[in-house]
Amino acid sequence: MISWVPKQYMKAWDQFYQDCDEETQITLDSRLDLLLNLGNQCRRPVSAHLDDGIFELRAKNARILFYFGPEKTIIFLLGIIKKKSKVPPGDIETAKRNRKKIQQGEVELNEINNP
């Protein structure tokens, strides 16, 4: 039973997902299912806290940064292909800026196309 609702900043999830290879998409699908079911109880290897309420959904070297929003929403902010052992601080800062725009009402959230 899915208990959390996925949303996205602009088209962060959709565009990133579309650019991933099929094997990564399959992994993202299964990890997303776990995240939607477990929400903020989800841990490694599926999800990990990065900084200041920003988390990563982990699938191979693909990472989608998100935060837990109100009313059991999971809001995806930015997708990246990780090239080093850690997510670059600049990407975390971009995710924080995107979250701030959402929280200040500057942008509307979108549904994701493949939950």
Side-chain angles (χ1 to χ4, degrees):
M1 179 179 108
I2 293 176
S3 59
W4 289 75
V5 178
K7 301 280 185 171
Q8 63 182 328
Y9 170 81
M10 314 275 284
K11 293 289 182 184
W13 174 279
D14 294 341
Q15 289 172 346
F16 183 73
Y17 184 89
Q18 186 176 25
D19 291 342
C20 290
D21 62 62
E22 184 178 357
E23 188 176 341
T24 301
Q25 288 179 350
I26 290 168
T27 304
L28 282 169
D29 290 339
S30 66
R31 297 283 169 97
L32 177 62
D33 285 343
L34 285 168
L35 182 62
L36 294 178
N37 285 309
L38 298 174
N40 57 6
Q41 300 301 308
C42 200
R43 301 288 184 261
R44 287 180 186 262
V46 175
S47 173
H49 181 257
L50 296 174
D51 183 53
D52 191 28
I54 300 294
F55 293 79
E56 62 178 349
L57 180 66
R58 304 160 53 94
K60 304 174 142 294
N61 63 341
R63 300 291 188 267
I64 300 187
L65 281 54
F66 69 92
Y67 73 99
F68 294 102
E71 299 176 19
K72 288 189 133 182
T73 55
I74 296 172
I75 302 164
F76 295 101
L77 300 165
L78 177 70
I80 63 167
I81 298 296
K82 195 175 76 150
K83 296 182 170 114
K84 300 200 180 216
S85 63
K86 293 187 176 189
V87 173
D91 290 327
I92 296 170
E93 291 305 313
T94 298
K96 288 179 187 178
R97 283 192 302 275
N98 293 348
R99 176 181 63 188
K100 186 174 182 178
K101 289 177 188 175
I102 293 165
Q103 292 172 334
Q104 292 177 339
E106 295 175 22
V107 295
E108 290 190 27
L109 296 175
N110 297 298
E111 304 289 328
I112 67 172
N113 287 324
N114 66 324

